[in-house]
Amino acid sequence: RNDAEAEISACSGEISLLKRQQEEAETEIVSLRDRLSSLKSQQARTTTSESTLKAQLSVLKKQVDEATASAEAENSALRERISKLNEKLAAANENGTLQSTRLSNLTADNTRLELELGEATRRVEEEKTMTSRLRSSLADANSKVSDVTGDT
């Protein structure tokens, strides 16, 4: 009977130990379930964040592509304008060269005409001097004729 009581007591102790272990295991299971639920929730948020980031990245890529295309189009238009302006500049330079040549020719003509004017002015002065001398000679001659004819 003592052996049976001792065995019952040992079994009761073992049962108590197993019950405590079972309670600890159940507590750990509840804790692990809570942790699993938390991880699933975190995974769902991460997946949502990842999806949101992918969508944002897609939008940003589209914006970059559009901005690049727009910049390339603007760059092309600017190159075309620069090309046209360079053509106008070349034409203006050519026209400027022609105008410069014309100006040089006109300056040469003007110089020649100034020389001719100077020569003509000199001849006019000589003619004036000669005319003055002739008038003076004519007056002297008229005076001598008057002296000879007696006219006053």
Side-chain angles (χ1 to χ4, degrees), residues 105-117:
N105 291 340
L106 289 173
T107 302
D109 289 346
N110 189 35
T111 302
R112 183 180 47 77
L113 290 173
E114 285 176 352
L115 291 172
E116 289 177 13
L117 177 63

Side-chain angles (χ1 to χ4, degrees), residues 32-138:
L32 287 172
R33 282 185 182 152
D34 288 345
R35 177 79 176 127
L36 178 61
S37 175
S38 174
L39 287 173
K40 284 182 178 179
S41 178
Q42 185 178 356
Q43 181 184 19
R45 284 192 307 271
T46 301
T47 302
T48 302
S49 294
E50 183 180 353
S51 297
T52 301
L53 288 174
K54 283 182 180 178
Q56 289 173 348
L57 180 60
S58 176
V59 168
L60 287 174
K61 282 182 180 178
K62 184 178 179 184
Q63 289 173 345
V64 166
D65 290 345
E66 289 172 356
T68 300
S70 175
E72 287 173 353
E74 186 176 344
N75 193 14
S76 178
L78 288 173
R79 283 188 182 140
E80 183 65 27
R81 284 181 62 199
I82 287 170
S83 176
K84 287 181 181 178
L85 288 174
N86 282 335
E87 288 173 9
K88 285 183 179 181
L89 179 60
N93 281 337
E94 185 176 326
N95 188 31
T97 301
L98 291 174
Q99 294 297 331
S100 179
T101 301
R102 287 183 189 141
L103 180 60
S104 292
N105 291 340
L106 289 173
T107 302
D109 289 346
N110 189 35
T111 302
R112 183 180 47 77
L113 290 173
E114 285 176 352
L115 291 172
E116 289 177 13
L117 177 63
E119 181 62 24
T121 302
R122 186 189 60 74
R123 280 189 306 229
V124 166
E125 289 301 319
E126 286 177 0
E127 292 292 326
K128 283 182 181 178
T129 302
M130 192 173 283
T131 301
S132 177
R133 285 183 191 153
L134 287 173
R135 281 188 182 148
S136 179
S137 294
L138 181 60

